[in-house]
Amino acid sequence: MRRDRRCEEELYTRYARRMYAVCLRYARHSMEAEDMLQEGFIRVYEKLADFRQEGALEGWVRRIMVHTAINHLRRKSFQLERFGMEKLPDRPVAATAMSELGEKELMTLLATLPDGYRVVFNLFAIEGYDHGEIAALLGCGESTSRSQLAKARRCLQQLIERNETRVHEGATRVG
Amino acid sequence: MRERHELDELFRRGLHDAEAEPPARVRAALADTRGWQASALWGWTWWMPLLLVGLSGAGLLVVLGGTRTTAPMNVAIATPATATVLGESPGSFVVGDGMTPGDGVERAALHTTARGDAAPILVATATEAPMPHGRTDEQEAVTPIGPWAAATTHTSEQRDVATSSALSPVPPTAQAYLDISLEDQTEPGPTLVGRLNPLAGPSIAVVLNPIPLTASWRADYVPSKRHAWLSVHGAAGTLKGRWSGPDALERTRAERWTTGWQVGLLGGVEWRSGFGVGVGVSWAQAHSLFNHTDHNPSTTQLTIDTNWIQTTYGTGPQQISTWVVDSLWSVTPGPEQRYRSHNRYTSLWIPLQLHWMGGLRRLRYGVLAGGAVGFPLGRTGHTLVTGDEGARVVRLDDRRMDARPVLNGFAGLMIGHQLGGSTLLMLEPLWQGGIDPNTPLAEGPALRHLMVRLRLVHEIPFTHARTR
């Protein structure tokens, strides 16, 4: 496919906002997300000729963006988390706490997760990858992926409960 | 079967289609890297050198055009005649009616005026025919000449006739009768067309110069409309750089720019108004310090980690306990590999410079601006290439590095001192940087120089072309 600057610009205009949100979920800070976004779009442009138009373009772009983000993290000596969260029980989170969480709060919660948890949780829960795909992508075993996911959930639970406690304490003081 | 979890659902619903506005710098960086909006300037790297060469040629033609010659003018030699003295000494008299040349000169007269007992004052008057381009105004060059010998050439900017008078002193007792004998020109050189022979004392001769003159001929004391100049220069200064191309970010981070210098030649034309144009060639080098550290993951370690996971499905009391055995491969970063090199970029520049320069006694001051095309000649050192396996250090002369011409602009001040009649020493603080808003696709550094240029200028007046 011949390189078309207008096409590239259009592609960026259409998907940059959504892809930046994807990158923010994987990155440790916004600067890193910017790097991922830029690198991801360059990769998209380079591979545009390979797009077979069998699926949605957005899904294809998103997949490249996710792969780029993971490669980026891997280059920065990303390691899966090994310790912590084993002893916390996995129990349901109160519905009230969950209803109070908006997009911004969810992003904040996600950002507080350690790298390994965050990546696996992102891939499994939000992107919809299964453990086999995650294992192949991250170069680890499926069980590791499962374990990391479970730990990520527990960590999130704890964070949400803390958040709920703070909200309730605040409400009591106001009352 | 894919397990379902309320947290997963919560985050998927909230974040899967979330949007966030990326900073404008990401778009700018992509535009920079990918050359967006460059369609208008696309291909300038090819036509700009041609344009500069064309302008250089035009400038050369202008320079050469300043010495063009015109057809020799027909200044007829007056026929031998005897002048008639009009009036009585010591009063006014006119001689030279017989000196009327043919084409070109309407009449020429020599006046001698005596005032009382004072020495007569000789006045040479030349009245010219209408100018070839339609001028009909009478140009009169009047030179009062004392009793001592004088030779004067009367000219004006567009004068086609020059009259030379070689006059000898006339004593106060000059005779009223003067004999003028006119001779044919037989030898090359100034033509003696009339001679006033007083009966006593030295003779008075009137000479019309028959040398064919050019339209641009002028006397030495008349400032020329323009002059050519040639200069040699050397410049040095600091610089900042930013890479363009696919690996721009990594490369820019890894490289710290230090100094740059250039030497070259410039030549051009400067008009009397102070405006000038010049073209030339410069040899330039830019230096930088490349510093990159590779973190090589060299060892992997398998760790077995087991734990119980209790999962609750729905809101029921049932809990499922799962014994998970983790096989965790952890990567331990290997030894760091550091790359340091002094990079050197050599290039050939063709600048086109416009300037204005004023003067106050020997002080010269002015401003200059222009554009220059740089052709990369050589690169030594190292840089980065990013592949699937990450950034990798390669040599700058690697075949994957695409070096193309770059277009720069420059502007600066001119401060100088006139060393001699036609030699100037100029000190010029300059800024030079990329003026292409969309960095070309080439994998090259866009450099911004801040430098001081020292330039030795030699001014060359246009010579009078005379043909016989």
Side-chain angles (χ1 to χ4, degrees), chain A residues 3 5 8-9 12-13 16-18 20-21 24-25 31 34-35 37-39 41-43 45-46 58 62 71 75 77 79-82 86 89-93 98 101 103 106-107 109-110 121 123-131 139-141 143-144 146-151 153-154 156-157 160, chain B residues 2-27 29-30 33-39 42 245-246 249-250 253 295 301 303 305-312 314-315 319 324-333 386-391 441:
Chain A
R3 210 188 123 191
R5 292 187 181 86
E8 289 181 3
E9 273 193 277
Y12 181 84
T13 308
R17 292 170 57 84
R18 198 160 284 187
Y20 186 51
L24 280 173
R25 280 195 277 113
M31 293 290 284
E34 288 169 27
D35 283 355
L37 184 70
Q38 186 183 346
E39 199 180 325
F41 267 105
I42 288 171
R43 230 165 244 270
Y45 299 145
E46 284 170 354
E58 186 186 338
R62 181 186 282 262
N71 282 340
R75 281 210 300 274
S77 303
Q79 289 184 45
L80 295 176
E81 301 301 320
R82 293 177 53 197
E86 289 88 354
D90 188 8
R91 59 173 186 272
V93 182
M98 289 171 62
L101 296 173
E103 187 180 307
L106 291 176
M107 284 297 284
L109 286 172
L110 207 54
F121 186 79
L123 290 170
F124 185 89
I126 303 176
E127 310 296 348
Y129 285 66
D130 59 34
H131 288 295
C140 63
S143 59
T144 305
R146 283 199 178 84
S147 166
Q148 297 279 313
L149 176 67
K151 290 169 186 171
R153 283 173 181 158
R154 260 180 259 148
L156 285 171
Q157 270 174 359
I160 290 169
Chain B
R2 187 183 172 87
E3 58 186 298
R4 296 177 61 193
H5 196 283
E6 55 188 353
L7 268 178
D8 297 1
E9 285 298 313
L10 173 70
F11 278 87
R12 195 185 60 76
R13 275 200 311 273
L15 297 179
H16 185 267
D17 295 324
E19 291 187 351
E21 187 66 45
R25 59 177 168 266
V26 179
R27 188 189 188 100
L30 273 170
T33 309
R34 304 294 295 176
W36 293 349
Q37 300 161 356
S39 54
W42 193 85
L249 271 177
E250 299 283 345
R253 279 177 194 155
H295 302 277
Q301 188 180 359
T303 309
D305 182 18
T306 62
N307 63 77
W308 281 97
I309 295 176
Q310 292 177 329
T311 314
T312 307
T315 54
Q319 285 195 339
V324 176
V325 180
D326 280 354
S327 57
L328 180 64
W329 287 96
S330 57
V331 179
T332 308
T386 309
D388 290 336
E389 69 279 6
L441 304 178

Side-chain angles (χ1 to χ4, degrees), chain A residues 110-128:
Chain A
L110 207 54
T112 52
L113 287 180
D115 288 353
Y117 297 172
R118 190 174 66 249
V119 170
V120 174
F121 186 79
N122 261 320
L123 290 170
F124 185 89
I126 303 176
E127 310 296 348

Side-chain angles (χ1 to χ4, degrees), chain B residues 45-361:
Chain B
T45 52
W46 308 116
W47 59 257
M48 187 54 76
L50 292 176
L51 179 67
L52 276 180
V53 169
L55 286 172
S56 310
L60 199 61
L61 283 177
V62 169
V63 173
L64 293 175
T67 58
R68 69 189 167 84
T69 59
T70 58
M73 180 180 168
N74 294 323
V75 178
I77 300 168
T79 54
T82 301
T84 306
V85 176
L86 305 175
E88 294 292 329
S89 177
S92 301
F93 61 92
V94 175
V95 293
D97 281 347
M99 292 168 60
T100 304
D103 302 334
V105 179
E106 198 172 79
R107 68 189 164 86
L110 183 67
H111 302 273
T112 301
T113 305
R115 294 174 184 159
D117 294 338
I121 299 170
L122 299 184
V123 178
T125 303
T127 307
E128 298 174 4
M131 292 295 158
H133 51 273
R135 263 183 62 186
T136 57
D137 55 323
E138 182 179 271
Q139 295 189 348
E140 189 177 58
V142 178
T143 306
I145 301 167
W148 293 278
T152 309
T153 304
H154 304 284
T155 63
S156 66
E157 190 173 313
Q158 294 177 310
R159 190 147 181 178
D160 294 296
V161 173
T163 305
S164 297
S165 303
L167 304 172
S168 298
V170 178
T173 55
Q175 297 295 318
Y177 180 79
L178 298 176
D179 181 32
I180 299 176
S181 61
L182 302 175
E183 301 168 359
D184 288 336
Q185 172 74 17
T186 54
E187 295 296 326
T191 310
L192 180 65
V193 294
R195 174 172 292 152
L196 297 168
N197 286 325
L199 294 174
S203 63
I204 300 172
V206 178
V207 178
L208 288 181
N209 191 346
I211 297 172
L213 303 172
T214 67
S216 61
W217 191 89
R218 69 190 70 249
D220 292 341
Y221 54 80
V222 178
S224 60
K225 287 167 91 176
R226 58 181 179 269
H227 64 264
W229 55 270
L230 271 177
S231 71
V232 292
H233 66 261
T238 60
L239 55 95
K240 290 180 178 176
R242 189 166 53 84
W243 277 86
S244 58
D247 303 313
L249 271 177
E250 299 283 345
R251 285 177 186 165
T252 304
R253 279 177 194 155
E255 204 155 0
R256 187 167 59 81
W257 298 90
T258 53
T259 56
W261 58 263
Q262 58 176 260
V263 292
L265 296 170
L266 277 171
V269 185
E270 187 180 299
W271 283 267
R272 202 158 46 185
S273 61
F275 288 98
V277 61
V279 293
V281 63
S282 298
W283 180 274
Q285 268 194 1
H287 298 263
S288 71
L289 194 64
F290 175 78
N291 195 351
H292 177 72
T293 306
D294 256 352
H295 302 277
N296 293 325
S298 57
T299 57
T300 54
Q301 188 180 359
L302 176 64
T303 309
I304 305 297
D305 182 18
T306 62
N307 63 77
W308 281 97
I309 295 176
Q310 292 177 329
T311 314
T312 307
Y313 285 97
T315 54
Q318 295 87 1
Q319 285 195 339
I320 299 173
S321 296
T322 313
W323 175 252
V324 176
V325 180
D326 280 354
S327 57
L328 180 64
W329 287 96
S330 57
V331 179
T332 308
E336 289 183 344
Q337 214 166 353
R338 288 195 171 202
Y339 296 89
R340 278 172 66 89
S341 70
H342 290 277
N343 289 1
R344 195 171 61 202
Y345 302 80
T346 309
S347 52
L348 186 75
W349 290 88
I350 298 180
L352 174 67
Q353 172 185 309
L354 304 172
H355 74 260
W356 175 85
M357 187 160 63
L360 184 68
R361 295 177 185 273

